[in-house]
Amino acid sequence: MSLDVARVRKDFPILDREVRPGVPLVYLDNAATSQKPTQVLDALRDYYELHNANVHRGIHTLAEEATALYEGARDKVAAFVNAADRREIVFTKNSSEALNLLSYVLPLGPGDEVVVTEMEHHSNLVPWQLACTRTGATLKWIGLTDDGRLDLADLDRVVTKRTKVVAFVHQSNLLGTVNPVDVVAAKARSVGAYVVLDASQSVPHMGVDVQALDVDFVAFTGHKMCGPTGIGVLWGRADLLEQLPPFLGGGEMIDEVTMAGSTWAALPHKYEAGTPPIAQAVGLGAAVDYLTDLGMDNVRAHEHELTAYALNALQQVDGLRIIGPTTNDERGGAISFALQGIHPHDVGQLLDERGIAVRVGHHCARPACLRYGVPATTRASVHLYSTTADIDALVTGLDHVRRFFT
Amino acid sequence: MSLDVARVRKDFPILDREVRPGVPLVYLDNAATSQKPTQVLDALRDYYELHNANVHRGIHTLAEEATALYEGARDKVAAFVNAADRREIVFTKNSSEALNLLSYVLPLGPGDEVVVTEMEHHSNLVPWQLACTRTGATLKWIGLTDDGRLDLADLDRVVTKRTKVVAFVHQSNLLGTVNPVDVVAAKARSVGAYVVLDASQSVPHMGVDVQALDVDFVAFTGHKMCGPTGIGVLWGRADLLEQLPPFLGGGEMIDEVTMAGSTWAALPHKYEAGTPPIAQAVGLGAAVDYLTDLGMDNVRAHEHELTAYALNALQQVDGLRIIGPTTNDERGGAISFALQGIHPHDVGQLLDERGIAVRVGHHCARPACLRYGVPATTRASVHLYSTTADIDALVTGLDHVRRFFT
Amino acid sequence: MTDESIYQEIILDHYKHPHHRGLREPFEAEVRHLNPTCGDEITLRVHLTGRTVEDVSYDGEGCSISQASASVMTDLLIGKTVDDALSIHDEFLRLMHSRGELEPDEDVLEDAVAFRGVSRLTARVKCALLAWMAWKDAVSQASGTAGDTGAGATSEGAA
Amino acid sequence: MTDESIYQEIILDHYKHPHHRGLREPFEAEVRHLNPTCGDEITLRVHLTGRTVEDVSYDGEGCSISQASASVMTDLLIGKTVDDALSIHDEFLRLMHSRGELEPDEDVLEDAVAFRGVSRLTARVKCALLAWMAWKDAVSQASGTAGDTGAGATSEGAA
Ligand SMILES: Cc1ncc(COP(=O)(O)O)c(C=O)c1O
Ligand SMILES: Cc1ncc(COP(=O)(O)O)c(C=O)c1O
């Protein structure tokens, strides 16, 4: 069974929008954020119109219902990534908060080392820079090869006995590269380091099984996987999350509070201070249902085919250079490129005049841009509702851009 | 001009709900969270169906529109609390995050003291307990009088030259007490301490002018003021926020990033790492418009009248003891009480059978419960759409509860 | 009171006229469990003779559900062998975690079947379980020291 | 290209055939400004004679908007008194912060009126302003050292 993309597109009202009268939207900015199906928007509205209440400890009917919906969403997310235990799913506001949480609670000190890669999103780089500054630990990184892959030759040099944390991205939002989690994780395990995986760009596009990955922590974010903004997920092994200290303090994360001191609630509440993003969790649950119904293998197969089509078509465009893997193995559907002599701003702006939405800039991965000698790129990225027609529009648009400026 | 409550209620679809067939909802759990008007739900849906994109740095039309909506919401919130500068409005996920942010970035060390009060919500207590544990600072607190007020006789003893932060609640969610901000802030200023105000329960119910308050930081939360879950606000003086270090690292909060180190974006982005709660900010903007149209003075007057009615009616109930001020001066519409010989769980459960939603428990203010010798209370709390009929239903319900258990 | 009410006649009877209430001697283990959310609190003692639950005595404060549950529990467990008592305990836990879906076995649970309605309310399940958790804790301590008399081990736990 | 396009003929002309490009001597101040988001970068020199802007020379990389804006700016400012140049600068800033609402004064801004469309696009306003911010920075440094010749003060700034 494969994806019926025409039917899928009917679920996404925004895809019918015209950017300007007569100019339909061609949305190729999915690595920045995905669009939302009606099923998710209905779940949000239903929540607010029928069940809205603060969760936990409330005993009236609305509070019972809201709690059941919120905790039900946790069950759905746990099943989606095959967590061994629902308590391992912590709701945060986005991926960035999940990664920062780890950067605050994992034990680090002078002499310790944290290893990242040169292709990290700023959200999995800056928190570790800040943590190293706070604790006196040292930041190291694995470099990149010319064709957009991790330079695994660096691995043994960079990861040593002093390494306490290895944090890296599953699928790069700039290059599209899918990293060999097993190789990096095995090396990290061999030195006893915690393994943190930034799965912000993988969970929305492929089936991710957190147990099979053999890592300690995984972060991902609702808005990139057809869910609402304002919600992210930290998955972590229960035994580790149980040992680690709390991050944010407040309502719901406590067991017993006196003025003199407090004790912490059991997982996952220990890491969920204050009123959580209740409606957003419910919306994310609906998104997970939606993706599960379609089948993540189907989503992945569709995007894989589309990426092949796009890589091929883009390489026909005169003066276009792809930044990242040019072959379709171990890569996802985010494709960055440079157009000879034309600034990405101008590429993006002219494409927008034709309704084509791509992203231009450093995509919060400036070190990787510097590595490839470009201050910025143009990036087109697909999702489950993208079509070859979208790619054709892009390629025609790029030809137009080239003619316009020469 | 006063509030046309009948018309207001039409804007809140959930108020028409029946909890069980034939049992209409009587919602008196507003201190936990407020309900949402159609105007807010429409703003959310419009955002997702027409304009959804990631904000900032995107140059395509959707990104421009989403950014304009998101930053427009900031302008609305800034105007709502009369901030001197829109850059002083930082969007967080809730009040708790705003308060935790401060507990991480305000400079503290051994010998320093943090002062809170015995009526704090756990979200303005536990973060400071954690900060003291991290930094070696000492936590002190201002006690309470028997009638539910701050014991200002404590002020000069507790706030000293060693005090670096004074953090306190504007309106107590347990007791309903409105604290004399001017008196506490003046004392804090006299020793050069930062002044942090937890306005989670005041901003939704009265006009709050952050400049007039003469404090340094104010935290409040969207879901209690007719806005969505998943969004809160930290207001802070621009000069202070500029000096303080960052809290969460990641996308959007940086200026220039290299592997070796990074510099921070200008306010407010410095404190907004990662994809912000975009739709939720837009929804909060719509909530603020809604409240502004009604007029916060009208909202306050309505609730003040209703609180007088409720205080009077509740005191007629046999065996009922109010925990908190029994007079209607300097208090809001959250009323906690104990019913002689009947556990709050039983009160709450039996009221729920009649459709009446109140909250029972320690309301995340356990130290204040202990202070008044009750492990838990029943709390009824009103909002702009509450009516005397709601209070009447509560009082009749309480009579029923008493008869049921005696 | 509706048909769906959790306040079944049986529960109210036990609440208003609790059985086996009060702390008694002898006992091999005493525990104190509390639910800090609502202040429910129980102190509970277990007295074993060989492998028989000779006595379960308790004192504490709490809502009608937690009080009635303690009373019902002592009726069920006193006089049973530890093994039988443990399997009743397990059956009650199963019921309370069933969200109202399980048809309880009246032969095993007797009056405790009245708690079926409570199992639909996640916020109240803890109340119904407070005494049972305390008993389980106490009995496992007492089993270690079974046969001793007088003041046994005392422990504190939070539910 | 639509009517609403920001790529007005004037802007394209300046982009393809920039005026006064290249770094020249003499100068009293040289600055380097950059926009790290997109890598736009400009090095700009100012030469003053008394209170007259004798020369503005520049080099750099960037999108058509930032390049054309630099070219248009030099046409407008070279030969003006510092005071007149500053008021043109202010007028251009006002236009760029108007979100497309302001009817620009063609007598003052000449070719720069073509940037009105850019002012509707918050993400691109920075591009159009890069050269102007650099010039303002350079001229305030040069005013401090005006009259000196040869290599003047050099500074770096981020836009
Ligand atoms: C006084 C007070 N402070 C802080 C909070 C925490 O707000 P939130 O749960 O939205 O973070 C609340 C509400 O729960 C409150 O009533
Ligand atoms: C690889 C990667 N990591 C982390 C993030 C941060 O996600 P968020 O902005 O939702 O926190 C993103 C997306 O922006 C990303 O693409």
Side-chain angles (χ1 to χ4, degrees):
Chain A
M1 212 203 62
S2 74
L3 219 56
D4 180 348
V5 181
R7 214 205 57 198
V8 166
R9 290 179 70 87
K10 292 214 174 71
D11 293 330
F12 292 81
I14 205 172
L15 298 178
D16 286 334
R17 170 164 168 187
E18 296 189 339
V19 165
R20 247 161 268 108
V23 184
L25 173 66
V26 176
Y27 189 72
L28 288 169
D29 191 18
N30 291 287
T33 201
S34 69
Q35 298 304 340
K36 325 300 174 200
T38 302
Q39 289 83 339
V40 168
L41 304 186
D42 288 349
L44 288 173
R45 187 123 199 168
D46 268 17
Y47 169 78
Y48 284 126
E49 286 192 350
L50 294 174
H51 312 291
N52 176 64
N54 213 327
V55 294
H56 301 309
R57 297 177 187 176
I59 64 176
H60 58 76
T61 304
L62 294 186
E64 275 280 344
E65 291 174 357
T67 304
L69 286 166
Y70 178 68
E71 294 299 333
R74 196 190 308 278
D75 291 329
K76 290 175 184 187
V77 171
F80 190 66
V81 298
N82 193 34
D85 188 332
R86 66 188 307 282
R87 297 177 307 140
E88 298 182 326
I89 300 294
V90 173
F91 287 125
T92 61
K93 67 174 173 178
N94 54 24
S95 267
S96 304
E97 187 194 353
L99 295 163
N100 275 278
L101 186 164
L102 295 172
S103 76
Y104 273 98
V105 304
L106 292 178
L108 289 173
D112 292 342
E113 293 179 356
V114 175
V115 170
V116 296
T117 85
E118 208 176 352
M119 65 166 82
E120 294 314 309
H121 188 281
H122 295 162
S123 291
N124 196 30
L125 169 59
V126 180
W128 302 111
Q129 291 179 334
L130 291 171
C132 288
T133 306
R134 270 195 313 272
T135 63
T138 304
L139 189 73
K140 293 183 146 189
W141 56 90
I142 301 167
L144 307 181
T145 64
D146 288 344
D147 56 348
R149 307 278 178 186
L150 283 188
D151 189 355
L152 294 175
D154 270 6
L155 203 56
D156 286 337
R157 191 179 51 74
V158 176
V159 179
T160 70
K161 291 224 163 73
R162 286 183 301 279
T163 307
K164 292 295 174 291
V165 178
V166 176
F168 64 108
V169 70
H170 195 183
Q171 174 169 324
S172 158
N173 68 307
L174 176 79
L175 307 169
T177 318
V178 174
N179 287 318
V181 178
D182 51 349
V183 178
V184 181
K187 179 68 197 173
R189 292 244 173 269
S190 76
V191 300
Y194 291 107
V195 189
V196 176
L197 191 69
D198 175 2
S200 307
Q201 295 285 348
S202 52
V203 168
H205 301 288
M206 60 173 88
V208 168
D209 176 334
V210 292
Q211 295 186 70
L213 285 174
D214 193 31
V215 299
D216 297 315
F217 306 100
V218 172
F220 51 103
T221 197
H223 66 92
K224 293 191 204 281
M225 52 193 288
C226 303
T229 58
I231 185 141
V233 177
L234 170 67
W235 168 85
R237 292 187 189 286
D239 55 336
L240 298 179
L241 290 179
E242 260 157 10
Q243 287 159 29
L244 293 167
F247 173 44
L248 305 182
E252 303 307 340
M253 61 71 75
I254 51 84
D255 184 24
E256 208 168 341
V257 176
T258 66
M259 292 307 290
S262 304
T263 54
W264 316 131
L267 291 178
H269 307 294
K270 173 178 163 189
Y271 287 111
E272 295 184 352
T275 303
I278 308 170
Q280 293 72 38
V282 174
L284 179 58
V288 155
D289 281 346
Y290 184 81
L291 293 171
T292 305
D293 282 353
L294 293 177
M296 285 310 291
D297 286 347
N298 295 322
V299 168
R300 187 181 197 177
H302 169 66
E303 293 185 25
H304 188 69
E305 214 173 290
L306 211 53
T307 306
Y309 185 88
L311 284 170
N312 179 54
L314 287 171
Q315 287 179 92
Q316 317 294 315
V317 177
D318 254 8
L320 187 145
R321 169 187 158 218
I322 288 175
I323 317 286
T326 52
T327 59
N328 201 19
D329 49 309
E330 300 302 309
R331 82 153 6 262
I335 309 180
S336 272
F337 55 84
L339 206 56
Q340 173 99 52
I342 306 179
H343 192 282
H345 267 175
D346 291 320
V347 177
Q349 196 77 54
L350 273 172
L351 289 177
D352 180 63
E353 292 189 355
R354 302 167 76 94
I356 304 164
V358 296
R359 189 136 305 223
V360 299
H362 55 48
H363 313 290
C364 298
R366 191 163 176 268
C369 284
L370 295 181
R371 161 67 179 78
Y372 294 107
V374 288
T377 78
T378 303
R379 181 187 68 190
S381 53
V382 301
H383 215 315
L384 67 166
Y385 39 67
S386 304
T387 64
T388 53
D390 293 340
I391 306 296
D392 294 344
L394 171 66
V395 169
T396 310
L398 289 172
D399 283 337
H400 164 76
V401 170
R402 280 193 48 260
R403 279 196 314 276
F404 189 84
F405 280 109
T406 47
Chain B
M1 213 201 65
S2 73
L3 220 55
D4 179 350
V5 181
R7 214 203 59 201
V8 165
R9 289 179 70 87
K10 292 214 172 69
D11 293 330
F12 292 80
I14 205 172
L15 297 180
D16 288 334
R17 170 164 170 189
E18 296 187 339
V19 165
R20 248 162 267 109
V23 185
L25 172 67
V26 175
Y27 188 73
L28 287 171
D29 192 19
N30 291 286
T33 201
S34 69
Q35 299 302 340
K36 326 300 175 199
T38 302
Q39 288 83 341
V40 167
L41 303 185
D42 287 348
L44 288 173
R45 187 125 200 168
D46 268 18
Y47 169 77
Y48 284 126
E49 286 193 349
L50 295 173
H51 311 292
N52 176 63
N54 213 325
V55 293
H56 301 306
R57 293 173 190 180
I59 66 176
H60 58 75
T61 304
L62 294 187
E64 276 278 346
E65 291 173 357
T67 305
L69 285 166
Y70 178 67
E71 294 300 333
R74 197 190 306 280
D75 291 329
K76 290 175 184 187
V77 172
F80 190 64
V81 296
N82 194 33
D85 187 331
R86 68 188 305 282
R87 298 177 307 140
E88 298 182 326
I89 300 295
V90 173
F91 286 126
T92 61
K93 67 175 173 178
N94 53 24
S95 267
S96 303
E97 187 194 355
L99 295 163
N100 275 277
L101 186 164
L102 295 172
S103 77
Y104 273 98
V105 304
L106 292 178
L108 288 172
D112 291 343
E113 295 179 355
V114 175
V115 171
V116 296
T117 84
E118 208 176 351
M119 66 165 80
E120 293 315 308
H121 188 280
H122 295 162
S123 290
N124 197 31
L125 168 60
V126 180
W128 302 110
Q129 290 180 335
L130 290 170
C132 287
T133 306
R134 271 196 312 273
T135 63
T138 303
L139 189 72
K140 294 184 146 188
W141 55 91
I142 300 166
L144 307 181
T145 63
D146 288 344
D147 56 346
R149 308 278 175 185
L150 284 187
D151 187 355
L152 294 175
D154 268 6
L155 202 56
D156 286 338
R157 192 180 50 77
V158 175
V159 179
T160 70
K161 290 229 162 72
R162 288 183 299 279
T163 308
K164 291 295 174 291
V165 177
V166 176
F168 65 107
V169 69
H170 195 181
Q171 174 169 324
S172 159
N173 68 307
L174 176 78
L175 308 170
T177 318
V178 174
N179 287 317
V181 178
D182 50 350
V183 177
V184 181
K187 179 67 197 174
R189 291 244 174 269
S190 76
V191 299
Y194 292 107
V195 188
V196 176
L197 190 69
D198 175 1
S200 305
Q201 294 285 351
S202 52
V203 169
H205 301 287
M206 60 173 91
V208 168
D209 176 334
V210 293
Q211 296 186 71
L213 285 174
D214 193 31
V215 299
D216 296 315
F217 306 100
V218 173
F220 51 103
T221 197
H223 66 91
K224 292 192 204 282
M225 51 192 286
C226 303
T229 59
I231 186 144
V233 177
L234 170 65
W235 168 84
R237 293 188 187 283
D239 55 335
L240 298 179
L241 290 178
E242 259 157 13
Q243 287 159 29
L244 292 168
F247 173 44
L248 305 181
E252 303 308 341
M253 61 68 77
I254 51 81
D255 183 23
E256 210 168 341
V257 175
T258 67
M259 292 307 289
S262 304
T263 54
W264 317 129
L267 291 179
H269 307 295
K270 170 178 164 189
Y271 287 111
E272 295 184 355
T275 302
I278 308 171
Q280 292 73 34
V282 174
L284 180 58
V288 155
D289 281 346
Y290 183 80
L291 292 172
T292 305
D293 281 354
L294 294 178
M296 287 309 290
D297 286 347
N298 295 322
V299 168
R300 188 182 197 180
H302 169 67
E303 295 186 22
H304 188 70
E305 213 173 293
L306 212 52
T307 305
Y309 185 89
L311 285 171
N312 180 55
L314 287 170
Q315 289 180 89
Q316 317 293 316
V317 177
D318 253 7
L320 188 145
R321 169 185 158 217
I322 288 176
I323 317 285
T326 50
T327 58
N328 201 20
D329 50 309
E330 299 301 307
R331 93 166 337 275
I335 308 180
S336 272
F337 56 85
L339 206 56
Q340 174 98 51
I342 307 177
H343 192 283
H345 268 176
D346 291 319
V347 177
Q349 196 79 53
L350 273 173
L351 289 177
D352 180 62
E353 292 190 356
R354 303 169 76 92
I356 304 164
V358 296
R359 188 134 303 223
V360 299
H362 56 45
H363 314 289
C364 298
R366 190 163 178 268
C369 284
L370 296 181
R371 160 67 178 81
Y372 293 107
V374 288
T377 77
T378 303
R379 180 188 67 190
S381 54
V382 300
H383 214 316
L384 66 166
Y385 38 69
S386 304
T387 62
T388 52
D390 293 340
I391 306 297
D392 293 343
L394 171 66
V395 169
T396 311
L398 290 172
D399 282 336
H400 165 76
V401 171
R402 281 191 49 257
R403 277 195 314 274
F404 190 83
F405 280 107
T406 46
Chain C
M1 186 172 59
T2 66
D3 263 6
E4 297 179 17
S5 174
I6 61 168
Y7 295 104
Q8 300 296 314
E9 211 56 46
I10 300 177
I11 292 181
L12 285 175
D13 281 350
H14 277 275
Y15 173 54
K16 291 181 182 168
H17 312 287
H19 305 176
H20 306 106
R21 197 182 163 90
L23 294 169
R24 289 179 293 278
E25 312 230 330
F27 63 98
E28 290 77 40
E30 174 181 302
V31 300
R32 187 173 151 259
H33 276 222
L34 57 94
N35 178 347
T37 318
C38 54
D40 283 7
E41 181 178 324
I42 191 166
T43 302
L44 181 142
R45 293 178 178 176
V46 165
H47 170 43
L48 302 183
T49 318
R51 291 299 291 165
T52 300
V53 180
E54 196 65 33
D55 193 17
V56 180
S57 66
Y58 64 96
D59 205 356
E61 279 179 56
C63 63
S64 59
I65 301 300
S66 74
Q67 297 296 299
S69 181
S71 171
V72 166
M73 180 186 80
T74 53
D75 277 356
L76 275 168
L77 304 188
I78 293 173
K80 298 280 192 315
T81 67
V82 170
D83 287 347
D84 286 352
L86 280 171
S87 71
I88 296 169
H89 168 275
D90 291 352
E91 186 63 24
F92 188 71
L93 250 68
R94 203 159 32 246
L95 174 64
M96 294 318 294
H97 289 144
S98 73
R99 297 171 174 255
E101 304 288 301
L102 204 79
E103 187 63 59
D105 184 342
E106 192 155 357
D107 289 345
V108 177
L109 291 181
E110 303 179 14
D111 278 5
V113 299
F115 289 87
R116 182 185 181 180
V118 177
S119 76
R120 274 184 291 108
L121 305 174
T122 44
R124 306 304 303 284
V125 167
K126 269 192 183 173
C127 308
L129 287 178
L130 185 67
W132 294 79
M133 300 309 239
W135 175 81
K136 174 86 180 281
D137 186 5
V139 90
S140 73
Q141 289 180 31
S143 300
T145 60
D148 302 3
T149 48
T154 296
S155 81
E156 289 215 6
Chain D
M1 184 172 61
T2 65
D3 264 5
E4 297 180 17
S5 173
I6 61 167
Y7 295 105
Q8 301 297 313
E9 214 55 47
I10 299 176
I11 292 181
L12 285 174
D13 281 351
H14 277 276
Y15 173 53
K16 291 180 182 167
H17 312 287
H19 304 178
H20 307 106
R21 196 180 164 89
L23 294 169
R24 288 179 295 278
E25 312 228 331
F27 62 99
E28 290 77 42
E30 175 181 301
V31 299
R32 187 174 151 259
H33 275 222
L34 56 93
N35 178 347
T37 318
C38 55
D40 284 6
E41 182 177 322
I42 192 166
T43 303
L44 182 142
R45 294 179 178 175
V46 165
H47 172 42
L48 303 183
T49 318
R51 292 299 291 166
T52 299
V53 179
E54 195 68 32
D55 194 16
V56 180
S57 66
Y58 65 96
D59 206 356
E61 278 179 57
C63 64
S64 59
I65 301 300
S66 75
Q67 297 295 297
S69 181
S71 170
V72 165
M73 180 187 77
T74 53
D75 277 358
L76 274 169
L77 304 189
I78 292 174
K80 297 281 194 313
T81 66
V82 169
D83 287 347
D84 286 352
L86 281 171
S87 71
I88 294 170
H89 168 274
D90 292 350
E91 185 65 24
F92 188 71
L93 250 69
R94 203 157 33 244
L95 175 63
M96 294 317 294
H97 289 143
S98 74
R99 299 172 172 252
E101 302 289 298
L102 204 80
E103 188 61 61
D105 183 343
E106 193 155 358
D107 289 345
V108 177
L109 291 181
E110 301 178 16
D111 279 5
V113 298
F115 288 88
R116 181 186 181 179
V118 178
S119 75
R120 273 184 292 107
L121 306 173
T122 42
R124 306 304 304 282
V125 167
K126 268 192 183 175
C127 308
L129 288 180
L130 185 67
W132 294 79
M133 300 310 240
W135 175 79
K136 174 85 182 281
D137 186 6
V139 90
S140 73
Q141 290 181 28
S143 299
T145 60
D148 303 2
T149 48
T154 296
S155 81
E156 289 215 7

